[in-house]
PDB file of all heavy atoms in Angstrom:
ATOM      1  N   SER A   1      -6.745  -5.068  20.793  1.00  0.00           N
ATOM      2  CA  SER A   1      -5.390  -5.586  21.006  1.00  0.00           C
ATOM      3  C   SER A   1      -5.428  -7.055  21.419  1.00  0.00           C
ATOM      4  O   SER A   1      -4.603  -7.858  20.968  1.00  0.00           O
ATOM      5  CB  SER A   1      -4.659  -4.763  22.080  1.00  0.00           C
ATOM      6  OG  SER A   1      -5.345  -4.829  23.316  1.00  0.00           O
ATOM      7  N   SER A   2      -6.387  -7.425  22.267  1.00  0.00           N
ATOM      8  CA  SER A   2      -6.473  -8.822  22.699  1.00  0.00           C
ATOM      9  C   SER A   2      -6.901  -9.706  21.538  1.00  0.00           C
ATOM     10  O   SER A   2      -6.437 -10.853  21.413  1.00  0.00           O
ATOM     11  CB  SER A   2      -7.446  -8.970  23.873  1.00  0.00           C
ATOM     12  OG  SER A   2      -8.736  -8.502  23.521  1.00  0.00           O
ATOM     13  N   ALA A   3      -7.766  -9.197  20.659  1.00  0.00           N
ATOM     14  CA  ALA A   3      -8.205  -9.976  19.502  1.00  0.00           C
ATOM     15  C   ALA A   3      -7.035 -10.297  18.591  1.00  0.00           C
ATOM     16  O   ALA A   3      -6.837 -11.449  18.186  1.00  0.00           O
ATOM     17  CB  ALA A   3      -9.281  -9.207  18.730  1.00  0.00           C
ATOM     18  N   SER A   4      -6.232  -9.299  18.277  1.00  0.00           N
ATOM     19  CA  SER A   4      -5.090  -9.534  17.395  1.00  0.00           C
ATOM     20  C   SER A   4      -4.051 -10.412  18.071  1.00  0.00           C
ATOM     21  O   SER A   4      -3.447 -11.279  17.435  1.00  0.00           O
ATOM     22  CB  SER A   4      -4.464  -8.199  16.977  1.00  0.00           C
ATOM     23  OG  SER A   4      -3.975  -7.478  18.096  1.00  0.00           O
ATOM     24  N   GLY A   5      -3.870 -10.213  19.375  1.00  0.00           N
ATOM     25  CA  GLY A   5      -2.871 -10.999  20.096  1.00  0.00           C
ATOM     26  C   GLY A   5      -3.206 -12.467  20.160  1.00  0.00           C
ATOM     27  O   GLY A   5      -2.362 -13.329  19.870  1.00  0.00           O
ATOM     28  N   PHE A   6      -4.444 -12.786  20.523  1.00  0.00           N
ATOM     29  CA  PHE A   6      -4.834 -14.204  20.620  1.00  0.00           C
ATOM     30  C   PHE A   6      -4.928 -14.852  19.241  1.00  0.00           C
ATOM     31  O   PHE A   6      -4.622 -16.038  19.091  1.00  0.00           O
ATOM     32  CB  PHE A   6      -6.156 -14.345  21.370  1.00  0.00           C
ATOM     33  CG  PHE A   6      -6.009 -14.313  22.866  1.00  0.00           C
ATOM     34  CD1 PHE A   6      -6.422 -13.213  23.598  1.00  0.00           C
ATOM     35  CD2 PHE A   6      -5.441 -15.378  23.546  1.00  0.00           C
ATOM     36  CE1 PHE A   6      -6.272 -13.170  24.983  1.00  0.00           C
ATOM     37  CE2 PHE A   6      -5.283 -15.358  24.919  1.00  0.00           C
ATOM     38  CZ  PHE A   6      -5.703 -14.240  25.645  1.00  0.00           C
ATOM     39  N   ALA A   7      -5.335 -14.090  18.231  1.00  0.00           N
ATOM     40  CA  ALA A   7      -5.360 -14.641  16.874  1.00  0.00           C
ATOM     41  C   ALA A   7      -3.951 -14.973  16.404  1.00  0.00           C
ATOM     42  O   ALA A   7      -3.716 -16.024  15.797  1.00  0.00           O
ATOM     43  CB  ALA A   7      -6.024 -13.659  15.914  1.00  0.00           C
ATOM     44  N   ALA A   8      -3.013 -14.079  16.694  1.00  0.00           N
ATOM     45  CA  ALA A   8      -1.619 -14.324  16.314  1.00  0.00           C
ATOM     46  C   ALA A   8      -1.052 -15.528  17.062  1.00  0.00           C
ATOM     47  O   ALA A   8      -0.320 -16.348  16.489  1.00  0.00           O
ATOM     48  CB  ALA A   8      -0.778 -13.080  16.600  1.00  0.00           C
ATOM     49  N   LEU A   9      -1.393 -15.647  18.340  1.00  0.00           N
ATOM     50  CA  LEU A   9      -0.910 -16.769  19.149  1.00  0.00           C
ATOM     51  C   LEU A   9      -1.408 -18.099  18.589  1.00  0.00           C
ATOM     52  O   LEU A   9      -0.616 -19.030  18.342  1.00  0.00           O
ATOM     53  CB  LEU A   9      -1.386 -16.599  20.592  1.00  0.00           C
ATOM     54  CG  LEU A   9      -1.153 -17.784  21.541  1.00  0.00           C
ATOM     55  CD1 LEU A   9       0.334 -18.051  21.704  1.00  0.00           C
ATOM     56  CD2 LEU A   9      -1.806 -17.526  22.888  1.00  0.00           C
ATOM     57  N   VAL A  10      -2.715 -18.201  18.361  1.00  0.00           N
ATOM     58  CA  VAL A  10      -3.289 -19.456  17.865  1.00  0.00           C
ATOM     59  C   VAL A  10      -2.762 -19.767  16.470  1.00  0.00           C
ATOM     60  O   VAL A  10      -2.411 -20.919  16.160  1.00  0.00           O
ATOM     61  CB  VAL A  10      -4.829 -19.373  17.866  1.00  0.00           C
ATOM     62  CG1 VAL A  10      -5.440 -20.571  17.148  1.00  0.00           C
ATOM     63  CG2 VAL A  10      -5.351 -19.291  19.292  1.00  0.00           C
ATOM     64  N   SER A  11      -2.691 -18.762  15.608  1.00  0.00           N
ATOM     65  CA  SER A  11      -2.204 -18.972  14.251  1.00  0.00           C
ATOM     66  C   SER A  11      -0.742 -19.414  14.234  1.00  0.00           C
ATOM     67  O   SER A  11      -0.356 -20.299  13.462  1.00  0.00           O
ATOM     68  CB  SER A  11      -2.373 -17.673  13.446  1.00  0.00           C
ATOM     69  OG  SER A  11      -1.942 -17.846  12.124  1.00  0.00           O
ATOM     70  N   SER A  12       0.072 -18.820  15.107  1.00  0.00           N
ATOM     71  CA  SER A  12       1.496 -19.168  15.176  1.00  0.00           C
ATOM     72  C   SER A  12       1.707 -20.607  15.637  1.00  0.00           C
ATOM     73  O   SER A  12       2.511 -21.354  15.060  1.00  0.00           O
ATOM     74  CB  SER A  12       2.234 -18.214  16.125  1.00  0.00           C
ATOM     75  OG  SER A  12       2.176 -16.897  15.658  1.00  0.00           O
ATOM     76  N   VAL A  13       0.988 -20.984  16.690  1.00  0.00           N
ATOM     77  CA  VAL A  13       1.127 -22.342  17.210  1.00  0.00           C
ATOM     78  C   VAL A  13       0.623 -23.354  16.179  1.00  0.00           C
ATOM     79  O   VAL A  13       1.231 -24.415  15.976  1.00  0.00           O
ATOM     80  CB  VAL A  13       0.371 -22.492  18.552  1.00  0.00           C
ATOM     81  CG1 VAL A  13       0.395 -23.950  19.011  1.00  0.00           C
ATOM     82  CG2 VAL A  13       0.996 -21.600  19.615  1.00  0.00           C
ATOM     83  N   ALA A  14      -0.461 -23.020  15.487  1.00  0.00           N
ATOM     84  CA  ALA A  14      -0.997 -23.918  14.456  1.00  0.00           C
ATOM     85  C   ALA A  14       0.008 -24.093  13.325  1.00  0.00           C
ATOM     86  O   ALA A  14       0.174 -25.204  12.790  1.00  0.00           O
ATOM     87  CB  ALA A  14      -2.317 -23.372  13.912  1.00  0.00           C
ATOM     88  N   ALA A  15       0.692 -23.009  12.948  1.00  0.00           N
ATOM     89  CA  ALA A  15       1.705 -23.092  11.887  1.00  0.00           C
ATOM     90  C   ALA A  15       2.902 -23.916  12.348  1.00  0.00           C
ATOM     91  O   ALA A  15       3.438 -24.745  11.597  1.00  0.00           O
ATOM     92  CB  ALA A  15       2.149 -21.688  11.495  1.00  0.00           C
ATOM     93  N   LEU A  16       3.336 -23.709  13.592  1.00  0.00           N
ATOM     94  CA  LEU A  16       4.460 -24.481  14.144  1.00  0.00           C
ATOM     95  C   LEU A  16       4.129 -25.967  14.178  1.00  0.00           C
ATOM     96  O   LEU A  16       4.953 -26.810  13.797  1.00  0.00           O
ATOM     97  CB  LEU A  16       4.778 -23.985  15.551  1.00  0.00           C
ATOM     98  CG  LEU A  16       5.792 -24.814  16.358  1.00  0.00           C
ATOM     99  CD1 LEU A  16       7.180 -24.728  15.728  1.00  0.00           C
ATOM    100  CD2 LEU A  16       5.827 -24.343  17.816  1.00  0.00           C
ATOM    101  N   TYR A  17       2.920 -26.285  14.602  1.00  0.00           N
ATOM    102  CA  TYR A  17       2.503 -27.680  14.731  1.00  0.00           C
ATOM    103  C   TYR A  17       2.003 -28.299  13.421  1.00  0.00           C
ATOM    104  O   TYR A  17       1.662 -29.484  13.384  1.00  0.00           O
ATOM    105  CB  TYR A  17       1.394 -27.786  15.782  1.00  0.00           C
ATOM    106  CG  TYR A  17       1.861 -27.720  17.220  1.00  0.00           C
ATOM    107  CD1 TYR A  17       0.942 -27.580  18.250  1.00  0.00           C
ATOM    108  CD2 TYR A  17       3.214 -27.807  17.549  1.00  0.00           C
ATOM    109  CE1 TYR A  17       1.351 -27.538  19.573  1.00  0.00           C
ATOM    110  CE2 TYR A  17       3.630 -27.761  18.869  1.00  0.00           C
ATOM    111  CZ  TYR A  17       2.702 -27.626  19.878  1.00  0.00           C
ATOM    112  OH  TYR A  17       3.110 -27.593  21.186  1.00  0.00           O
ATOM    113  N   LYS A  18       1.925 -27.472  12.373  1.00  0.00           N
ATOM    114  CA  LYS A  18       1.454 -27.940  11.062  1.00  0.00           C
ATOM    115  C   LYS A  18       0.075 -28.607  11.167  1.00  0.00           C
ATOM    116  O   LYS A  18      -0.165 -29.702  10.664  1.00  0.00           O
ATOM    117  CB  LYS A  18       2.461 -28.914  10.438  1.00  0.00           C
ATOM    118  CG  LYS A  18       3.826 -28.294  10.179  1.00  0.00           C
ATOM    119  CD  LYS A  18       4.777 -29.295   9.539  1.00  0.00           C
ATOM    120  CE  LYS A  18       6.146 -28.673   9.281  1.00  0.00           C
ATOM    121  NZ  LYS A  18       7.097 -29.635   8.665  1.00  0.00           N
ATOM    122  N   LEU A  19      -0.808 -27.901  11.842  1.00  0.00           N
ATOM    123  CA  LEU A  19      -2.149 -28.446  12.047  1.00  0.00           C
ATOM    124  C   LEU A  19      -2.988 -28.298  10.778  1.00  0.00           C
ATOM    125  O   LEU A  19      -3.028 -27.222  10.181  1.00  0.00           O
ATOM    126  CB  LEU A  19      -2.852 -27.717  13.199  1.00  0.00           C
ATOM    127  CG  LEU A  19      -2.168 -27.767  14.570  1.00  0.00           C
ATOM    128  CD1 LEU A  19      -3.024 -27.033  15.598  1.00  0.00           C
ATOM    129  CD2 LEU A  19      -1.939 -29.209  15.002  1.00  0.00           C
ATOM    130  N   PRO A  20      -3.660 -29.358  10.359  1.00  0.00           N
ATOM    131  CA  PRO A  20      -4.527 -29.294   9.175  1.00  0.00           C
ATOM    132  C   PRO A  20      -5.883 -28.695   9.531  1.00  0.00           C
ATOM    133  O   PRO A  20      -6.929 -29.340   9.377  1.00  0.00           O
ATOM    134  CB  PRO A  20      -4.640 -30.761   8.768  1.00  0.00           C
ATOM    135  CG  PRO A  20      -4.560 -31.502  10.060  1.00  0.00           C
ATOM    136  CD  PRO A  20      -3.605 -30.723  10.933  1.00  0.00           C
ATOM    137  N   ALA A  21      -5.869 -27.460  10.033  1.00  0.00           N
ATOM    138  CA  ALA A  21      -7.102 -26.829  10.502  1.00  0.00           C
ATOM    139  C   ALA A  21      -7.393 -25.581   9.677  1.00  0.00           C
ATOM    140  O   ALA A  21      -6.486 -24.842   9.302  1.00  0.00           O
ATOM    141  CB  ALA A  21      -6.965 -26.461  11.981  1.00  0.00           C
ATOM    142  N   THR A  22      -8.654 -25.339   9.413  1.00  0.00           N
ATOM    143  CA  THR A  22      -9.075 -24.147   8.696  1.00  0.00           C
ATOM    144  C   THR A  22      -9.119 -22.958   9.659  1.00  0.00           C
ATOM    145  O   THR A  22      -9.175 -23.140  10.890  1.00  0.00           O
ATOM    146  CB  THR A  22     -10.477 -24.339   8.095  1.00  0.00           C
ATOM    147  OG1 THR A  22     -11.427 -24.470   9.170  1.00  0.00           O
ATOM    148  CG2 THR A  22     -10.529 -25.582   7.214  1.00  0.00           C
ATOM    149  N   PRO A  23      -9.116 -21.734   9.131  1.00  0.00           N
ATOM    150  CA  PRO A  23      -9.270 -20.575  10.015  1.00  0.00           C
ATOM    151  C   PRO A  23     -10.537 -20.641  10.863  1.00  0.00           C
ATOM    152  O   PRO A  23     -10.525 -20.229  12.028  1.00  0.00           O
ATOM    153  CB  PRO A  23      -9.299 -19.395   9.038  1.00  0.00           C
ATOM    154  CG  PRO A  23      -8.498 -19.856   7.871  1.00  0.00           C
ATOM    155  CD  PRO A  23      -8.811 -21.319   7.745  1.00  0.00           C
ATOM    156  N   SER A  24     -11.622 -21.171  10.313  1.00  0.00           N
ATOM    157  CA  SER A  24     -12.855 -21.297  11.101  1.00  0.00           C
ATOM    158  C   SER A  24     -12.658 -22.239  12.283  1.00  0.00           C
ATOM    159  O   SER A  24     -13.128 -21.978  13.398  1.00  0.00           O
ATOM    160  CB  SER A  24     -14.008 -21.800  10.223  1.00  0.00           C
ATOM    161  OG  SER A  24     -14.452 -20.810   9.325  1.00  0.00           O
ATOM    162  N   GLN A  25     -11.951 -23.348  12.046  1.00  0.00           N
ATOM    163  CA  GLN A  25     -11.682 -24.292  13.138  1.00  0.00           C
ATOM    164  C   GLN A  25     -10.775 -23.674  14.197  1.00  0.00           C
ATOM    165  O   GLN A  25     -10.990 -23.851  15.394  1.00  0.00           O
ATOM    166  CB  GLN A  25     -11.055 -25.569  12.569  1.00  0.00           C
ATOM    167  CG  GLN A  25     -12.029 -26.399  11.734  1.00  0.00           C
ATOM    168  CD  GLN A  25     -11.343 -27.522  10.975  1.00  0.00           C
ATOM    169  OE1 GLN A  25     -10.189 -27.394  10.553  1.00  0.00           O
ATOM    170  NE2 GLN A  25     -12.048 -28.630  10.778  1.00  0.00           N
ATOM    171  N   LEU A  26      -9.769 -22.923  13.740  1.00  0.00           N
ATOM    172  CA  LEU A  26      -8.875 -22.262  14.691  1.00  0.00           C
ATOM    173  C   LEU A  26      -9.597 -21.161  15.466  1.00  0.00           C
ATOM    174  O   LEU A  26      -9.246 -20.860  16.608  1.00  0.00           O
ATOM    175  CB  LEU A  26      -7.667 -21.672  13.963  1.00  0.00           C
ATOM    176  CG  LEU A  26      -6.695 -22.673  13.337  1.00  0.00           C
ATOM    177  CD1 LEU A  26      -5.590 -21.934  12.593  1.00  0.00           C
ATOM    178  CD2 LEU A  26      -6.088 -23.594  14.398  1.00  0.00           C
ATOM    179  N   SER A  27     -10.619 -20.577  14.848  1.00  0.00           N
ATOM    180  CA  SER A  27     -11.352 -19.503  15.525  1.00  0.00           C
ATOM    181  C   SER A  27     -12.068 -20.017  16.768  1.00  0.00           C
ATOM    182  O   SER A  27     -12.309 -19.265  17.713  1.00  0.00           O
ATOM    183  CB  SER A  27     -12.341 -18.847  14.562  1.00  0.00           C
ATOM    184  OG  SER A  27     -13.469 -19.666  14.302  1.00  0.00           O
ATOM    185  N   LEU A  28     -12.432 -21.305  16.791  1.00  0.00           N
ATOM    186  CA  LEU A  28     -13.054 -21.892  17.970  1.00  0.00           C
ATOM    187  C   LEU A  28     -12.104 -21.856  19.167  1.00  0.00           C
ATOM    188  O   LEU A  28     -12.541 -21.743  20.314  1.00  0.00           O
ATOM    189  CB  LEU A  28     -13.464 -23.338  17.683  1.00  0.00           C
ATOM    190  CG  LEU A  28     -14.664 -23.547  16.756  1.00  0.00           C
ATOM    191  CD1 LEU A  28     -14.723 -24.992  16.292  1.00  0.00           C
ATOM    192  CD2 LEU A  28     -15.954 -23.144  17.458  1.00  0.00           C
ATOM    193  N   ILE A  29     -10.799 -21.965  18.865  1.00  0.00           N
ATOM    194  CA  ILE A  29      -9.800 -21.930  19.939  1.00  0.00           C
ATOM    195  C   ILE A  29      -9.512 -20.490  20.341  1.00  0.00           C
ATOM    196  O   ILE A  29      -9.486 -20.147  21.525  1.00  0.00           O
ATOM    197  CB  ILE A  29      -8.503 -22.631  19.483  1.00  0.00           C
ATOM    198  CG1 ILE A  29      -8.779 -24.081  19.104  1.00  0.00           C
ATOM    199  CG2 ILE A  29      -7.434 -22.551  20.577  1.00  0.00           C
ATOM    200  CD1 ILE A  29      -7.591 -24.799  18.476  1.00  0.00           C
ATOM    201  N   SER A  30      -9.290 -19.623  19.353  1.00  0.00           N
ATOM    202  CA  SER A  30      -8.871 -18.249  19.652  1.00  0.00           C
ATOM    203  C   SER A  30      -9.934 -17.484  20.441  1.00  0.00           C
ATOM    204  O   SER A  30      -9.600 -16.648  21.285  1.00  0.00           O
ATOM    205  CB  SER A  30      -8.535 -17.502  18.363  1.00  0.00           C
ATOM    206  OG  SER A  30      -9.686 -17.338  17.559  1.00  0.00           O
ATOM    207  N   ARG A  31     -11.217 -17.767  20.188  1.00  0.00           N
ATOM    208  CA  ARG A  31     -12.258 -17.003  20.878  1.00  0.00           C
ATOM    209  C   ARG A  31     -12.351 -17.345  22.356  1.00  0.00           C
ATOM    210  O   ARG A  31     -13.006 -16.625  23.130  1.00  0.00           O
ATOM    211  CB  ARG A  31     -13.616 -17.203  20.197  1.00  0.00           C
ATOM    212  CG  ARG A  31     -14.242 -18.568  20.361  1.00  0.00           C
ATOM    213  CD  ARG A  31     -15.674 -18.559  19.830  1.00  0.00           C
ATOM    214  NE  ARG A  31     -16.303 -19.879  19.871  1.00  0.00           N
ATOM    215  CZ  ARG A  31     -16.767 -20.443  20.965  1.00  0.00           C
ATOM    216  NH1 ARG A  31     -16.672 -19.814  22.123  1.00  0.00           N
ATOM    217  NH2 ARG A  31     -17.334 -21.641  20.916  1.00  0.00           N
ATOM    218  N   GLN A  32     -11.686 -18.432  22.785  1.00  0.00           N
ATOM    219  CA  GLN A  32     -11.661 -18.739  24.213  1.00  0.00           C
ATOM    220  C   GLN A  32     -10.775 -17.752  24.975  1.00  0.00           C
ATOM    221  O   GLN A  32     -10.942 -17.547  26.175  1.00  0.00           O
ATOM    222  CB  GLN A  32     -11.167 -20.168  24.431  1.00  0.00           C
ATOM    223  CG  GLN A  32     -12.103 -21.218  23.854  1.00  0.00           C
ATOM    224  CD  GLN A  32     -11.599 -22.631  24.052  1.00  0.00           C
ATOM    225  OE1 GLN A  32     -11.271 -23.038  25.162  1.00  0.00           O
ATOM    226  NE2 GLN A  32     -11.529 -23.394  22.968  1.00  0.00           N
ATOM    227  N   GLY A  33      -9.825 -17.143  24.248  1.00  0.00           N
ATOM    228  CA  GLY A  33      -8.994 -16.110  24.863  1.00  0.00           C
ATOM    229  C   GLY A  33      -9.636 -14.741  24.751  1.00  0.00           C
ATOM    230  O   GLY A  33      -9.618 -13.943  25.686  1.00  0.00           O
ATOM    231  N   SER A  34     -10.200 -14.472  23.580  1.00  0.00           N
ATOM    232  CA  SER A  34     -10.892 -13.209  23.333  1.00  0.00           C
ATOM    233  C   SER A  34     -11.938 -13.476  22.259  1.00  0.00           C
ATOM    234  O   SER A  34     -11.602 -13.965  21.178  1.00  0.00           O
ATOM    235  CB  SER A  34      -9.907 -12.132  22.853  1.00  0.00           C
ATOM    236  OG  SER A  34     -10.587 -11.001  22.362  1.00  0.00           O
ATOM    237  N   GLY A  35     -13.188 -13.150  22.547  1.00  0.00           N
ATOM    238  CA  GLY A  35     -14.247 -13.431  21.588  1.00  0.00           C
ATOM    239  C   GLY A  35     -13.959 -12.864  20.211  1.00  0.00           C
ATOM    240  O   GLY A  35     -14.090 -13.551  19.191  1.00  0.00           O
ATOM    241  N   SER A  36     -13.531 -11.611  20.161  1.00  0.00           N
ATOM    242  CA  SER A  36     -13.270 -10.963  18.877  1.00  0.00           C
ATOM    243  C   SER A  36     -12.094 -11.573  18.133  1.00  0.00           C
ATOM    244  O   SER A  36     -11.949 -11.362  16.924  1.00  0.00           O
ATOM    245  CB  SER A  36     -13.007  -9.466  19.093  1.00  0.00           C
ATOM    246  OG  SER A  36     -14.149  -8.828  19.607  1.00  0.00           O
ATOM    247  N   ALA A  37     -11.249 -12.320  18.829  1.00  0.00           N
ATOM    248  CA  ALA A  37     -10.084 -12.925  18.181  1.00  0.00           C
ATOM    249  C   ALA A  37     -10.484 -13.897  17.089  1.00  0.00           C
ATOM    250  O   ALA A  37      -9.732 -14.114  16.133  1.00  0.00           O
ATOM    251  CB  ALA A  37      -9.207 -13.640  19.218  1.00  0.00           C
TER     252      ALA A  37
END
C-alpha cells in the first residue's frame, strides 16, 4: 500500500509540475518514502 501510495504521489506531482523526468528519475524520489515505491 505504501509503494502504490508514494508512487502515485510522486507521479501526480510530477504531472502537475510538468517535470521532464523519466520514471527511473522519479523512482529516486519515490523510494525515499517507500523503497518498493
